[in-house]
Amino acid sequence: MRTFNTNEMNQQFDNFFMAPVRAYTALSIDYSEKLLNAQLDANKAYVDTGIAQMRQLLSVKDAEGLRSYMEGQQKVAKDLAERVKGDADKVVSLQQDFLQKSQKLTEENVKQAQAAASKMSKTA
């Protein structure tokens, strides 16, 4: 009668299924955290800009102040456009990094599974 080594089965299950799941989950959590922080930073910058603009508008007391405020809007619009472009570039960079790391992780897991399958077929 053959006895089963449950420790070996558990180890194989962990190596083939759980370890890759943990690695991918950790990668996903890191990506999510970085993406969320980027979004929070961007939102804070946009809100701060909006509030600063409202405060400047409230300080307008005459035609000269209004003209000065309106001239400043061009710089604000340019700065915001640059900020949006920078934020979009940051998100794209995060996505590319995540994609590269997840592809590498998948390739490593496939190689490991192929090696294990080859080893099993030799012992069978």
Side-chain angles (χ1 to χ4, degrees):
M1 186 156 130
R2 184 174 174 172
T3 60
F4 289 105
N5 184 350
T6 57
N7 288 336
E8 184 178 329
M9 288 174 49
N10 287 340
Q11 184 65 38
Q12 287 177 350
F13 179 78
D14 186 60
N15 288 343
F16 294 126
F17 298 107
M18 296 310 294
V21 168
R22 281 192 298 271
Y24 185 77
T25 301
L27 182 64
S28 296
I29 290 170
D30 289 344
Y31 167 73
S32 297
E33 180 182 25
K34 289 175 185 175
L35 185 60
L36 181 60
N37 285 332
Q39 290 173 337
L40 289 173
D41 290 344
N43 286 337
K44 180 169 180 0
Y46 301 145
V47 168
D48 289 347
T49 299
I51 289 173
Q53 289 304 298
M54 287 186 280
R55 290 187 191 282
Q56 283 184 351
L57 185 58
L58 284 175
S59 69
V60 171
K61 299 201 184 341
D62 56 15
E64 181 60 30
L66 181 59
R67 184 185 65 74
S68 177
Y69 173 79
M70 295 306 289
E71 288 173 357
Q73 292 305 295
Q74 292 175 354
K75 182 183 181 323
V76 170
K78 181 182 176 213
D79 291 346
L80 276 177
E82 289 174 7
R83 174 68 196 225
V84 168
K85 182 185 180 306
D87 291 338
D89 290 343
K90 187 174 187 176
V91 170
V92 167
S93 175
L94 286 172
Q95 290 173 337
Q96 288 174 341
D97 184 53
F98 176 75
L99 180 63
Q100 290 170 352
K101 288 180 179 178
S102 62
Q103 284 176 337
K104 183 180 177 186
L105 186 62
T106 301
E107 290 170 3
E108 290 171 358
N109 290 330
V110 167
K111 286 178 185 176
Q112 183 182 7
Q114 287 173 339
S118 175
K119 181 181 173 184
M120 289 178 161
S121 67
K122 288 178 183 178
T123 60

